[in-house]
Every structure is written in structure tokens, then in C-alpha cells.
Amino acid sequence: AQSVAQPEDQVNVAEGNPLTVKCTYSVSGNPYLFWYVQYPNRGLQFLLKYITGDNLVKGSYGFEAEFNKSQTSFHLKKPSALVSDSALYFCAVRDPPAAGNKLTFGGGTRVLVKP
Amino acid sequence: DAGVTQSPTHLIKTRGQQVTLRCSPKSGHDTVSWYQQALGQGPQFIFQYYEEEERQRGNFPDRFSGHQFPNYSSELNVNALLLGDSALYLCASRLRTGTISGELFFGEGSRLTVL
């Protein structure tokens, strides 16, 4: 079974500093990896995805993620964090099309950006 | 262009009752998935519908059932509610032909509380 792990329950960062949210994955074939963000009492918003191609993926709101096959990681990054980036972030892996395309999510990392 | 819409947004039920949650997919999308998000956890896949049939199912009991209508909207039904069914229920949609690169679009969710 495919899985992702987010080793940090919470990340604290000062506004203007770089933000990194960690994710490692375990898959049997090619990974289809995603990042979503969830604001309080809201649904999930798509940030970015890695399907194939460049290891550095650029997404919404200034976020990017680096796919590292040797370390089986897909860390989310933002060069300069904003207070409004405070939210819950989820890494997810999608089953391949032949297996149905469902998403398997990590447990989430809460990001707190302090002014 | 309306995104994924869910109703109701909040509801309270008692143990043993039954609940129906509703979802309208994003315009142009034909595939609907349901996820359960317990407090403090990542979303868990319940099932996926397209062409009005359940195509994939997660590890949920038969008390959880669903339906997809010809207009692609969907319902999630939960019978014999347990306290542990209290959660945010998320509906997500996508266009099936985008099976490799298409991301899921999530609704705001229905918050179910079972007393």
C-alpha cells in the first residue's frame, strides 16, 4: 500500500523566514504526489503536484516542492513565509490510474507563522 | 464557475440515526469521491463514484453507502450512526479523463457531530 508520512505535527516560523514542511513517501511504482492546504473549518485547497518531469515543482501562493527520489521525499517550501500561511498542510500520494486514483493523505502538519 | 458544493455544512445527530450528505461536483467534472476527516487527522478515503457506480472503496463498513445521479451529483449515507462517525466529510471531484495529472477539487465539507 502507498503511504506518506509527515514527521512534524507543527512547524513554527517567523514571518519573512523560509518555511519547510516535510513529507516522505512509500510507493511501489512511480509516485504521484500532492500538497494541499486547509484553513480552519474549510475544505482542502490544492497547492501543487508532482507527476513527472522537473524535480522542483512550483505551485500556488508562492509555494514550491522538491521531489527527491533517492530520499523518497517531497518537501514543501516557501522562501518567505507570511502570517496568512498559517494553516494545516497535507501531503498526499495518489494511486496509479489502474488502481483507482484515490488519494492517501499524511497526518498533516500545522504551520504557525508568527509576526 | 461554481466549485464543489456540499450540504448541509453542519449537522448534529444522535447514535443510531441515519444521515445523508450531498455533493455537487465542480462544473465539468464527472467523478466524485468522499473522504472522512476525523479531528486532528488527515482525510481517509471512503469511496469513489463515476458513471453512477461505486468504483473504488476504502476501509469503511457497509453502514457507509453512496449514490451518484445522472447529473454527477452524489450522496453519502451513513446508517446506525456511532459516536466515532463524528467528523468532517469532504467531497472531491475531478474529470475522469484527467486520470494522471488532474487534481481533486474539494468542497468545504459537512461537519457531522454524533451525540
Side-chain angles (χ1 to χ4, degrees):
Chain A
Q2 307 201 120
S3 64
V4 290
Q6 295 179 244
E8 301 159 315
D9 290 335
Q10 181 160 324
V11 170
N12 298 317
V13 63
E15 187 174 31
N17 282 0
L19 169 63
T20 298
V21 186
K22 295 179 180 178
C23 173
T24 58
Y25 66 88
S26 174
V27 302
S28 56
N30 293 324
Y32 304 111
L33 299 165
F34 296 76
W35 277 101
Y36 283 83
V37 61
Q38 186 175 37
Y39 297 98
N41 299 313
R42 305 292 294 274
L44 300 175
Q45 295 180 28
F46 168 79
L47 284 177
L48 50 80
K49 65 188 176 191
Y50 173 83
I51 303 297
T52 187
D54 291 340
N55 289 341
L56 186 62
V57 179
K58 293 190 181 297
S60 306
Y61 314 121
F63 283 93
E64 57 189 28
E66 185 173 6
F67 172 72
N68 188 316
K69 187 173 183 179
S70 63
Q71 297 185 5
T72 62
S73 66
F74 188 56
H75 300 333
L76 181 71
K77 301 180 180 183
K78 187 171 185 180
S80 178
L82 302 173
V83 172
S84 57
D85 293 328
S86 298
L88 192 55
Y89 290 79
F90 290 98
C91 180
V93 60
R94 191 167 75 191
D95 286 350
N101 282 305
K102 81 171 190 294
L103 283 175
T104 300
F105 288 87
T109 298
R110 187 167 302 281
V111 170
L112 180 59
V113 182
K114 298 182 179 180
Chain B
D1 177 24
V4 180
T5 58
Q6 294 186 240
S7 64
T9 56
H10 296 82
L11 69 166
I12 299 174
K13 294 285 186 178
T14 58
R15 282 178 297 174
Q17 285 189 313
Q18 178 264 346
V19 67
T20 297
L21 308 178
R22 296 176 177 82
C23 172
S24 293
K26 181 178 170 62
S27 178
H29 285 184
D30 59 1
T31 300
V32 173
S33 301
W34 287 91
Y35 288 79
Q36 180 196 65
Q37 186 180 14
L39 196 62
Q41 298 182 21
Q44 299 285 319
F45 174 76
I46 303 175
F47 41 53
Q48 180 185 92
Y49 279 83
Y50 62 83
E51 297 181 347
E52 303 178 46
E53 291 191 17
E54 183 183 297
R55 301 294 181 171
Q56 191 181 13
R57 188 178 182 92
N59 189 25
F60 280 80
D62 292 344
R63 298 187 298 110
F64 290 76
S65 64
H67 190 77
Q68 186 179 34
F69 300 93
N71 67 352
Y72 308 121
S73 66
S74 177
E75 289 182 348
L76 165 64
N77 301 292
V78 186
N79 294 323
L81 285 167
L82 304 174
L83 295 179
D85 295 332
S86 295
L88 180 67
Y89 288 85
L90 296 165
C91 175
S93 73
R94 66 179 177 88
L95 182 61
R96 181 167 170 258
T97 54
T99 52
I100 297 222
S101 61
E103 65 268 20
L104 287 180
F105 289 81
F106 283 83
E108 300 277 294
S110 294
R111 173 77 62 187
L112 171 65
T113 301
V114 182
L115 302 177

